[in-house]
Amino acid sequence: MCGIAGFCNFAGNVEENIERMKNRMLNRGPDAGGTYLTEDRSVVLGHRRLSIIDLSENGSQPMTSHNGRYIISYNGEVYNYKEVAQKLLRENKVDGFRGNSDTEVLLEAFNAYGVKEAIRLFKGMFAIALYDRQERTLYLLRDRVGEKPLYYGKVNGSFVFASDIGCISVLDQFHNAVNRKVLDLYFVHGYIPAPYSIYEDIYKLEPGTILKIRAPFKNWEIETYWSMKEAAKRGQKNLFKGSRQEAADELERLLKKSIAGQMVADVPVGAFLSAGIDSSTIVALMQSIHQGKVKSYTIGMEEKDYNEAVYAKEIARHLGTEHTELYISEQDAIGVIPQLAYMFGEPFADSSQIPTYLVSKMTREHVTVSLSGDGGDELFCGYTSYASVDRIWNKMKGIPYFVRKPVSEMVLHSPLREKPIYKVKGKLLGAKGPSDLYICSNETEPLARKISLYHEECPYKHSEYAEGFLEEANHNIMLMDMLMYHPDDILVKVDRAAMAVSLETRVPMLDKDVVEFAWSLPIEYKRNGNIGKQVLRDVLYRYVPQEIMERPKKGFSIPIEKWLRKPELREWAEELINRGQLKEQGYLDPEVVWEIWEDFILRGEWRIQIWYILMFQEWIRLQKKS
């Protein structure tokens, strides 16, 4: 796990600016930092290293290919690099390797097979900058699911890129304005969907894509080498024909293979254990293939309704892991809040970012790499919202849309809208189909799109999603989450929180073979009534008794609503949303912000947009200090 950065045809002092970028992401790679400059200084690649595999100088970056044609600056891990290395040797594409790093294998594969063919050989998580000296072409590549971040764009006419958007904002030529067009989306979702970022002219490279830009580095083109949509479509057209037990057998085999590859490191490895189905499955399978005791980590909370540590401890005891737990206080959690804007680099407001940071910090005291169970809900139909959409749509679909739509408008423009239940029902009635219903269920708060002072339709993955792309309703909304919510919220949260403490996280369920197999399963292997993740549970119950796991899910969250009522956080919040300050900044409507806040403080109506507003305002405050 590392950090990468660089630029082409930069107008300022290239040495000073690349060092500034590298220093901004020091936590991503505290062990070493290197720089590559072309002879004419038109292309500069920077790297910060967190040493995981081949800790010697042979693994240092930027790295040059054996023939000198390619230079790479790379963040991530390729888990099947030894297989690719053997292929290169077998086909006489290389005589040998200088070291044992996956970086060197990547380089030689690019040289031997070409960029697009080579990247398809690799399984892992990565964000890659590759410069072809012969063709004077820079390539940026991102992994299939979006585990590793990569931002790019223009700063004062120069092409720039980095793992962390904060690295771009420290350039001395940086004057990019706040991208007001994305604010409505941010206040609906709590994050900014790709390809957009908080700044104008700066973008997120989307998962499974390759960006290519040639000298003089003015215009780029992007192509897809792997598509989640196509994987889902292909899987659903070629459904798994075996029984559910046979599906569990195959899933167990694939997960064990993925986990075995992801446990390879030249540094200590552990796992997060939250007591849910997903992380428990990963830890159980890790322990089953590991000769010693797996190191597992969890945090507990004093708030009983939010504490799963007692269950995690029971699971760890049953599996025989070397388990470590840390109970955090309200003050521990609140103490993280001032760090969040810097940590995430742009407004991001999934409040589980706080416990994710704290468990990462505790874990990093013991290991350098930690496996997590992310992906299980989206791939195996785990969220209760999936069952809700299915249930609601089955009730609605008998009423023609031309009847439902005017009723929806009537409810939303009548006094009934003052009651939360009718506000939600009115919005949902206007849905055209299950996918649209899912979108509507995420946008039931009418004030969300009134918080920003700027309103313009901004196309994004949900608005571009074709109703009925997949035949089965649940698979449609699972795919929608894998296209946006998972890469732009879940994976962002885990990456930034863990990297803030120099911890590498790996996600076995996002292995290409596991993902493609999951899409081939019929929905009845995933959901039975209100109970999701059926086939995943089948695997887990081979290792952990079902009765240990049968309890309501608490989730990885914090009682932020309760804390904001207390003097310390309330004072912090009201300072951030001071009316005069909001008016001076010119981004948010003070009247709408204070309507939302007073509904909460005076009338007890909690809206998640409160946290979204506060995280935005904290980010704005950081910009003023920079």
Side-chain angles (χ1 to χ4, degrees):
M1 188 76 70
C2 307
I4 66 174
F7 38 72
C8 303
N9 286 346
F10 191 73
N13 184 306
V14 295
E15 288 92 346
E16 285 184 8
N17 279 279
I18 196 64
E19 288 303 314
R20 193 175 291 155
M21 294 180 88
K22 286 159 57 180
N23 289 337
R24 176 60 174 80
M25 58 179 178
L26 192 63
N27 287 345
R28 295 193 76 91
D31 297 329
T35 302
Y36 167 83
L37 291 83
T38 55
E39 294 81 357
D40 63 359
R41 306 162 81 79
S42 64
V43 177
V44 181
L45 307 182
H47 189 264
R48 288 299 322 179
R49 186 183 185 196
L50 176 62
S51 302
I52 302 292
I53 292 176
D54 192 347
L55 310 186
S56 73
E57 284 298 312
N58 288 327
S60 294
Q61 298 183 50
M63 184 183 290
T64 304
S65 63
H66 293 183
N67 65 359
R69 176 175 176 176
Y70 292 99
I71 296 90
I72 192 172
S73 184
Y74 149 60
N75 165 33
E77 303 290 345
V78 168
Y79 305 121
N80 67 333
Y81 76 97
K82 290 184 179 179
E83 297 169 27
V84 179
Q86 288 301 312
K87 174 180 169 67
L88 288 163
L89 289 166
R90 190 170 58 248
E91 296 176 1
N92 296 316
K93 300 293 186 182
V94 292
D95 297 325
F97 294 95
R98 296 179 294 241
N100 301 305
S101 73
D102 54 347
T103 310
E104 187 179 3
V105 177
L106 271 169
L107 265 175
E108 297 314 311
F110 288 134
N111 188 60
Y113 306 117
V115 173
K116 194 168 182 180
E117 184 178 344
I119 202 63
R120 287 174 171 153
L121 296 173
F122 291 101
K123 292 167 60 178
M125 54 179 187
F126 46 80
I128 300 170
L130 179 76
Y131 181 60
D132 181 346
R133 295 174 64 196
Q134 182 175 305
E135 298 293 331
R136 295 195 69 203
T137 299
L138 177 70
Y139 297 90
L140 300 181
L141 307 94
R142 194 173 178 206
D143 64 63
R144 293 172 179 85
V145 186
E147 290 184 67
K148 294 296 100 193
L150 192 50
Y151 295 87
Y152 70 94
K154 287 289 184 76
V155 171
N156 194 30
S158 301
F159 182 80
V160 301
F161 67 89
S163 297
D164 188 327
I165 196 170
C167 300
I168 295 173
S169 68
V170 299
L171 290 166
D172 61 20
Q173 304 284 317
F174 186 84
H175 302 292
N176 299 44
V178 169
N179 186 357
R180 294 171 181 265
K181 291 181 181 179
V182 302
L183 294 185
D184 274 354
L185 293 181
Y186 169 76
F187 287 115
V188 168
H189 298 286
Y191 57 91
I192 298 168
Y196 307 111
S197 86
I198 189 59
Y199 296 117
E200 291 182 1
D201 299 324
I202 303 297
Y203 307 94
K204 301 177 179 87
L205 187 64
E206 299 202 52
T209 64
I210 304 169
L211 180 148
K212 178 178 174 182
I213 185 167
R214 294 181 178 177
F217 309 110
K218 296 295 183 184
N219 302 305
W220 58 78
E221 55 190 68
I222 297 175
E223 62 179 323
T224 299
Y225 69 87
W226 188 90
S227 163
M228 183 68 71
K229 287 181 75 171
E230 292 311 309
K233 176 75 84 174
R234 190 167 56 248
Q236 287 296 291
K237 281 186 175 179
N238 300 279
L239 287 175
F240 181 76
K241 298 296 193 292
S243 66
R244 198 170 110 182
Q245 181 176 335
E246 290 170 325
D249 292 341
E250 178 63 4
L251 178 59
E252 181 178 13
R253 184 188 72 80
L254 291 172
L255 282 173
K256 279 186 174 181
K257 184 179 179 183
S258 173
I259 289 166
Q262 297 196 22
M263 289 181 74
V264 174
D266 295 330
V267 293
V269 177
F272 298 137
L273 179 59
S274 69
I277 298 294
D278 306 339
S279 66
S280 298
T281 302
I282 297 302
V283 173
L285 294 177
M286 285 177 74
Q287 189 61 70
S288 75
I289 62 177
H290 188 57
Q291 290 184 345
K293 287 191 169 190
V294 167
K295 300 175 187 292
S296 58
Y297 302 91
T298 191
I299 57 170
M301 301 194 69
E302 295 168 353
E303 296 277 348
K304 191 175 179 181
D305 291 342
Y306 294 82
N307 183 37
E308 288 197 323
V310 289
Y311 305 117
K313 189 173 185 178
E314 185 180 0
I315 293 164
R317 187 185 300 117
H318 178 82
L319 293 173
T321 70
E322 182 183 322
H323 190 59
T324 303
E325 63 179 10
L326 171 71
Y327 271 76
I328 60 170
S329 68
E330 179 181 317
Q331 283 307 119
D332 292 328
I334 290 173
V336 177
I337 292 174
Q339 305 172 52
L340 294 174
Y342 184 87
M343 193 184 301
F344 285 84
E346 64 178 344
F348 181 84
D350 181 335
S351 63
S352 62
Q353 63 203 124
I354 295 174
T356 302
Y357 169 80
L358 290 168
V359 74
S360 298
K361 184 180 179 184
M362 183 260 290
T363 302
R364 184 63 177 91
E365 294 173 4
H366 304 271
V367 298
T368 311
V369 176
S370 184
L371 274 62
S372 85
D374 292 305
D377 284 303
E378 294 86 353
L379 289 172
F380 298 100
C381 207
Y383 291 126
T384 55
S385 58
Y386 297 158
S388 299
V389 167
D390 214 20
R391 186 181 64 254
I392 295 168
W393 179 248
N394 285 335
K395 291 180 179 178
M396 284 172 47
K397 65 183 180 183
I399 306 171
Y401 179 69
F402 70 83
V403 174
R404 285 188 286 107
K405 183 61 176 174
V407 173
S408 167
E409 293 296 326
M410 183 178 69
V411 171
L412 291 175
H413 292 87
S414 76
L416 287 172
R417 73 181 186 279
E418 299 301 324
K419 295 186 177 180
I421 185 65
Y422 288 109
K423 184 167 60 179
V424 171
K425 286 184 175 181
K427 182 75 173 177
L428 299 183
L429 271 172
K432 296 176 182 177
S435 304
D436 193 32
L437 180 63
Y438 188 57
I439 295 170
C440 290
S441 70
N442 288 315
E443 299 194 22
T444 55
E445 177 47 64
L447 289 179
R449 289 182 179 269
K450 296 181 179 180
I451 296 168
S452 169
L453 286 169
Y454 187 92
H455 308 288
E456 182 177 317
E457 281 303 314
C458 193
Y460 70 117
K461 290 193 180 73
H462 282 183
S463 65
E464 296 169 341
Y465 190 84
E467 184 67 53
F469 177 77
L470 300 176
E471 289 184 16
E472 201 281 321
N474 274 281
H475 276 120
N476 265 303
I477 56 181
M478 289 159 60
L479 177 57
M480 293 170 75
D481 275 349
M482 285 303 291
L483 291 173
M484 192 175 90
Y485 172 66
H486 194 69
D488 295 338
D489 183 316
I490 300 297
L491 294 178
V492 168
K493 174 186 67 180
V494 174
D495 175 82
R496 307 306 191 276
M499 279 286 87
V501 294
S502 306
L503 176 73
E504 172 169 303
T505 51
R506 299 177 176 179
V507 191
M509 288 195 199
L510 299 186
D511 175 86
K512 172 181 177 286
D513 294 341
V514 174
V515 170
E516 291 180 345
F517 176 69
W519 284 122
S520 76
L521 295 175
I523 194 63
E524 58 268 23
Y525 286 13
K526 298 180 180 180
R527 173 167 291 288
N528 180 17
N530 289 327
I531 308 299
K533 297 191 272 199
Q534 292 290 311
V535 69
L536 199 58
R537 292 170 187 268
D538 292 342
V539 173
L540 175 61
Y541 296 157
R542 296 173 180 181
Y543 299 90
V544 178
Q546 184 172 347
E547 54 268 24
I548 293 181
M549 303 304 303
E550 286 186 341
R551 52 190 156 70
K553 183 176 180 178
K554 296 182 190 294
F556 203 42
S557 55
I558 56 172
I560 196 71
E561 174 185 354
K562 179 180 176 182
W563 294 349
L564 279 170
R565 289 186 172 279
K566 296 187 175 181
E568 182 183 353
L569 273 194
R570 179 173 173 177
E571 183 179 339
W572 163 77
E574 293 185 343
E575 180 186 343
L576 285 175
I577 60 171
N578 174 279
R579 287 178 187 270
Q581 181 174 256
L582 290 175
K583 190 173 182 180
E584 180 185 344
Q585 291 166 350
Y587 298 114
L588 311 185
D589 186 325
E591 298 310 312
V592 175
V593 169
W594 274 88
E595 179 182 349
I596 291 171
W597 181 250
E598 289 181 342
D599 278 348
F600 169 57
I601 292 297
L602 303 179
R603 290 173 279 282
E605 183 179 349
W606 168 255
R607 294 178 175 93
I608 193 60
Q609 278 72 24
I610 291 172
W611 187 245
Y612 299 174
I613 291 166
L614 295 175
M615 286 295 95
F616 177 80
Q617 286 299 106
E618 188 66 41
W619 180 81
I620 289 291
R621 178 153 69 180
L622 179 65
Q623 306 317 295
K624 287 190 173 182
K625 291 179 181 177
S626 301

